[in-house]
Amino acid sequence: SAASRFLFVATNGVDSAGRGTLAAPFRTLAYAVGQSAPNQIIVMRKGNYALGTSNLFDDRSKQIIAYPDEVVVADFAKSSSFWVKSGSSSAPVARFEGLDLANVAQHGISCDPCLAGVVIRNVRFVSGTETSGESDNPSYIYGMDYGWRHNKYLIQENDMGGAYTMKFTANNYGGMVLFSAFDSVIENNQMPANQTSSIRKGFVDKGYPNNNVYRENYIEIPAGQTEPDGIKIMAQGGSERVQIHHNLLINAGITLGQQCFQATCPMTDHSVHHNTLVNGGVGISWGPLNPPSSGSRIWHNIIKSGSEAPYGEYCQTLPSAATLASK
């Protein structure tokens, strides 16, 4: 790529016009974003950066990466986070790579919406805090709802094991919460059990998930937690073709369809296979057993469920024999 494709930020830089090169970097991310074009990439050199409000729009760069092999700490002082506002499907894809995010507020990276897609790769979520009630689903990665279709998340090789402080009795916390994600891949991420004891869920797919893949992730929930869901497909508006395979979950399980309350949210062609679950099982709630649902397969998993049933249905009465036989 041409050198003009990149803008550089360094702790010893200067925020002034005519800078932004590797030899003469800017000082702050906010200034660099303000000077950027949509197709440019902002490269941050090593060091600690105190960040305030960091909203990223289509008319500016939404690509922020760390310089190779340098540690970049973005500290939000428990007051803000990265917020991507990609309202056009033809805009450049948003991208975050190689950063350490510390002291994020409510979310680490949120999308409202991400119509063009977003890449979140090799990001370490160091610490965060909840700042409001549970309605905003506190999480390190968050795809907002509001009826949008969120396209093409690539969430890969991230560490979501940072300490997260819960101020309220939030029930829907997760390392990641996505609404209506389409055509997305979530792979090779880790969420080890060094979080605070309030973390209850790993990855939660809400709204209307479609054609998403969760593979080769490692999720460990602290022992003794209630609702220890490792990967949960809630399917509030139905879901199609979600694959969950080759994940390792400890003190956690996989749940299909917990918030699919009625026949208007069918779940079709889901596949849960070759996962290893320790002290957890596969929970089947409303969704896969609704009359219009079909094609869900749960197969070739290794389950050491501990005190839980390896496969369980809950939050509903058992369907009639005729209905169950057709599934």
Side-chain angles (χ1 to χ4, degrees):
S1 295
S4 59
R5 179 83 187 275
F6 301 91
L7 295 176
F8 291 86
V9 177
T11 56
N12 62 350
V14 177
D15 287 340
S16 64
R19 297 179 64 92
T21 65
L22 180 60
F26 295 128
R27 170 65 182 85
T28 65
L29 176 63
Y31 190 88
V33 170
Q35 303 301 306
S36 68
N39 64 343
Q40 287 185 301
I41 300 169
I42 297 175
V43 183
M44 301 183 71
R45 301 300 307 269
K46 65 182 178 181
N48 288 39
Y49 295 83
L51 300 187
T53 301
S54 297
N55 295 343
L56 305 172
F57 299 87
D58 284 343
D59 61 345
R60 300 296 182 192
S61 172
K62 302 192 300 292
Q63 300 191 61
I64 302 172
I65 69 175
Y67 193 88
D69 297 321
E70 294 190 356
V71 177
V72 174
V73 179
D75 192 329
F76 288 92
K78 300 182 180 180
S79 63
S80 187
S81 61
F82 283 123
W83 192 352
V84 178
K85 293 175 176 286
S86 177
S88 170
S89 60
S90 61
V93 170
R95 178 184 177 198
F96 302 88
E97 186 164 348
L99 307 169
D100 285 9
L101 304 190
N103 295 314
V104 298
Q106 194 72 3
H107 308 115
I109 299 171
S110 60
C111 291
D112 178 28
C114 280
L115 300 188
V118 59
V119 174
I120 303 173
R121 179 187 288 132
N122 194 27
V123 171
R124 182 167 59 177
F125 296 90
V126 179
S127 56
T129 185
E130 184 184 15
T131 58
S132 64
E134 67 174 272
S135 61
D136 257 352
N137 299 120
S139 52
Y140 281 128
I141 298 175
Y142 185 54
M144 292 189 178
D145 191 6
Y146 307 129
W148 292 99
R149 163 179 167 166
H150 301 274
N151 292 326
K152 299 179 181 177
Y153 290 95
L154 175 59
I155 301 173
Q156 184 182 60
E157 297 181 0
N158 301 290
D159 185 337
M160 303 179 200
Y164 194 104
T165 302
M166 301 297 293
K167 297 184 176 182
F168 303 88
T169 310
N171 189 29
N172 289 318
Y173 174 84
M176 176 178 66
V177 178
L178 303 179
F179 280 88
S180 299
F182 277 58
D183 302 321
S184 298
V185 176
I186 297 93
E187 67 178 356
N188 295 115
N189 302 285
Q190 67 169 352
M191 188 176 143
N194 60 344
Q195 317 96 336
T196 58
S197 60
S198 55
I199 290 180
R200 300 176 182 179
K201 296 173 176 63
F203 303 159
V204 182
D205 208 332
K206 306 183 74 172
Y208 177 40
N210 189 300
N211 202 35
N212 300 329
V213 177
Y214 292 82
R215 64 188 177 206
E216 298 182 357
N217 300 287
Y218 161 57
I219 299 172
E220 182 175 359
I221 303 296
Q225 284 289 66
T226 59
E227 299 186 81
D229 294 302
I231 298 175
K232 173 174 281 191
I233 311 300
M234 284 191 169
Q236 294 160 313
S239 59
E240 301 178 41
R241 298 184 303 277
V242 176
Q243 298 185 47
I244 304 171
H245 64 87
H246 293 92
N247 301 283
L248 171 60
L249 278 61
I250 299 177
N251 300 324
I254 296 169
T255 302
L256 299 180
Q258 187 175 5
Q259 289 189 349
C260 182
F261 302 116
Q262 53 195 352
T264 56
C265 55
M267 299 182 72
T268 58
D269 299 329
H270 289 57
S271 183
V272 180
H273 65 93
H274 291 93
N275 301 285
T276 300
L277 312 181
V278 181
N279 296 326
V282 179
I284 304 168
S285 191
W286 288 277
L289 301 176
N290 277 338
S293 300
S294 65
S296 291
R297 301 180 64 208
I298 303 171
W299 50 291
H300 284 296
N301 299 286
I302 298 174
I303 302 177
K304 183 181 180 181
S305 58
S307 60
E308 295 189 20
Y311 298 97
E313 55 84 22
Y314 54 91
C315 298
Q316 63 181 15
T317 57
L318 191 64
S320 67
T323 299
L324 191 59
S326 69
K327 304 303 173 187

